Structures are given as structure tokens and as C-alpha cells.
Amino acid sequence: MKRNTTFILFCILTLLWLSACATVKKETGQLNLKYAFPNENIPKTNLAIAIVSPEFTKNENDQTQNYRENIKGAFNNTFQELITRKGFNIKGPYSTFDDMAYGEKEGAYLAMIPVLKFNLEKTGAEACENTLCTDKGYIRVVGELRLDFIEPLTKEKILVKRINLSDLGIQKPYTVQRIKRHQGENAGLANIIGDITTGKKELVDDIEKAFYDAINEFYAKSMDKIWVMTSTKEVLSYQAQIKKLKGLKRF
């Protein structure tokens, strides 16, 4: 009789669990790495700048592994357009500086080598109430861009632009909820009771959207700053020095 009662109770709990089982509302996003440049009419200089693909550096907390190639490609393409819009012709892009042939180095006014420190950092903590656990926090973006303009034949650094991208203040809130699962001999019944008592029909998981939103905003605001910080007049001001370097006898 006791066994039958237990079985009936188990069946009732199972039916209640099926009706109370939580679903996850997962919000996703997508990369939107396009940039609308300011409409400025900058005269052509008839000088060429060789572009080397951006070099990425990261720290141990970096969360960009799944996005890194897309970000690198977007910055690479945008750097090419930026140089063109600043009035220069383009050579490349080259994967590395060493991929440039001697004739290409000789024909380039300068080579531009971008070094980008770009990290997504997840800051948050999980707290559990009964069987419902909620992880809330922020996805923050920190970074710095260094643009090295070098004379290609002598490898002499002509101009170094350091652009702080951490002060853009980009952070996106996220929430990830889950039902805490019990382990052990009586885990099955405990989990059923936990799901029923939680009474949560829909769980939230928007961390992926937060990642995408942070990257998209970082990209657009970074390019705003890079455009302002890269001056055609400043780059041209080194013509005498560059001409002298190109005229040196090299061994």
C-alpha cells in the first residue's frame, strides 16, 4: 500500500513538473561591423601607404575568441577605406610586414602597422534562490589601438599614434538564469520538486546579445575616434624626413 501511495505521488509530481518545466528565452544578436565615414572631401596626395593587417593582442580574461577573425577582417577593410579617404593610395594589405617585396617597400611612402588590444570582459556573479540561479553583470570592452607609421626600406618609425579605446565606456548588461540541478540518489525527485516550487515558466539568457551589442558599439565608436586622430596633414608633414631616409645607402 505504501509503495502504491509513493508511486501515485510520484506520478502526480511528474505531471506537475511537466506543466511547470521552465523554458529558456535565449536572445541572440549579430555582428554589424560597418562604418559610415564622414563626408569630407580630402584632396588626393598621390602617395601610397602600405597596409599591414591588424595585429591583435589579448589578456587572459579575453572573451573574443569566437569573434576575433570577424573583428580583424572588419578593421582591416575599414583601415583601407580610411587611408583612401584621407587622400592616399593603398598597397596591400599584407598579412605581415615581411610579406612586402623590396619594390613594394620602395614605392610606398609609408607602411601602416596597426596593433589592436581588444578585450571583452565578463563581470558578474551568480546568486541562487531556492532552485533558481541568476547570473547578472556586464560585458565590458577595453582596448587600445596603436598605429605605427614606418618608412618601409629602413624600418624607421616615423609616427606612432596611440588611441585609447577603453575610455569609450562601453558596457552592456546581461542576465543568465538556470535551474539548479541536484545530484545523488534522490536527485530525480528533488529536481522535480524544485522545478515545481520554482514556478518559473521562462528563464532569461541574453548574454550572447550583450556580446554582440558591445562589439558593434565598440567598433563604431572606435572608428569615430580613429578618423579624428588620423590627420592627412600630420602624415604629410614628414615628407622631408622620409625622402632623406629613402635616399640613404642601404646594405
Side-chain angles (χ1 to χ4, degrees):
M1 184 71 177
K2 183 178 180 181
R3 180 176 296 178
N4 288 339
T5 302
T6 303
F7 177 74
I8 292 171
L9 177 61
F10 180 81
C11 290
I12 293 172
L13 288 173
T14 300
L15 289 173
L16 289 172
W17 172 73
L18 291 172
S19 64
C21 191
T23 59
V24 179
K25 181 184 179 183
K26 189 175 179 65
E27 294 188 49
T28 61
Q30 61 182 3
L31 291 179
N32 181 21
L33 303 179
K34 295 181 179 179
Y35 180 71
F37 282 93
N39 188 21
E40 295 184 23
N41 187 19
I42 299 176
K44 292 293 183 182
T45 64
N46 295 320
L47 297 172
I49 291 180
I51 299 179
V52 178
S53 294
E55 174 188 333
F56 275 83
T57 62
K58 62 180 181 177
N59 63 27
E60 60 183 9
N61 296 320
D62 179 60
Q63 302 283 326
T64 65
Q65 189 60 44
N66 295 331
Y67 317 95
R68 187 165 292 274
E69 288 305 313
N70 299 85
I71 298 167
K72 182 177 180 179
F75 271 105
N76 197 21
N77 293 335
T78 311
F79 283 145
Q80 293 177 55
E81 186 173 353
L82 179 141
I83 292 301
T84 300
R85 287 177 174 269
K86 290 293 183 178
F88 296 94
N89 299 324
I90 291 175
K91 287 186 178 294
Y94 304 94
S95 297
T96 67
F97 180 81
D98 292 335
D99 289 337
M100 294 175 62
Y102 178 85
E104 293 169 323
K105 294 178 182 179
E106 190 176 36
Y109 174 65
L110 286 172
M112 185 184 79
I113 305 176
V115 180
L116 180 64
K117 294 180 181 179
F118 171 70
N119 296 298
L120 285 169
E121 296 179 349
K122 174 179 172 290
T123 58
E126 185 180 69
C128 296
E129 183 177 351
N130 296 324
T131 58
L132 177 63
C133 296
T134 302
D135 178 7
K136 297 189 73 171
Y138 291 91
I139 303 300
R140 296 179 61 250
V141 186
V142 295
E144 178 188 78
L145 174 67
R146 193 182 79 233
L147 294 177
D148 292 343
F149 290 89
I150 71 172
E151 196 291 303
L153 289 173
T154 59
K155 295 186 179 180
E156 183 83 17
K157 282 189 179 181
I158 303 299
L159 176 65
V160 177
K161 304 290 290 187
R162 292 185 181 274
I163 303 172
N164 184 4
L165 302 177
S166 296
D167 62 2
L168 297 175
I170 297 171
Q171 61 177 23
K172 298 296 180 181
Y174 75 88
T175 301
V176 178
Q177 294 179 313
R178 66 180 180 88
I179 300 298
K180 185 177 181 180
R181 314 313 293 174
H182 296 278
Q183 304 294 327
E185 184 178 350
N186 298 318
L189 183 59
N191 285 331
I192 290 174
I193 294 173
D195 287 343
I196 294 171
T197 56
T198 298
K200 187 73 177 178
K201 295 295 185 181
E202 191 171 64
L203 306 180
V204 176
D205 182 354
D206 61 7
I207 191 168
E208 183 177 328
K209 183 177 185 300
F211 272 115
Y212 281 119
D213 289 348
I215 292 171
N216 291 338
E217 184 176 343
F218 173 81
Y219 177 75
K221 288 188 175 180
S222 294
M223 289 311 306
D224 282 340
K225 197 166 186 179
I226 293 166
W227 173 264
V228 172
M229 295 285 290
T230 307
S231 164
T232 303
K233 184 177 180 179
E234 183 179 18
V235 175
L236 289 176
S237 68
Y238 295 94
Q239 286 186 82
Q241 181 181 347
I242 293 169
K243 183 177 180 180
K244 183 178 179 180
L245 287 171
K246 289 184 179 297
L248 293 176
K249 184 176 182 181
R250 290 169 296 277
F251 298 93

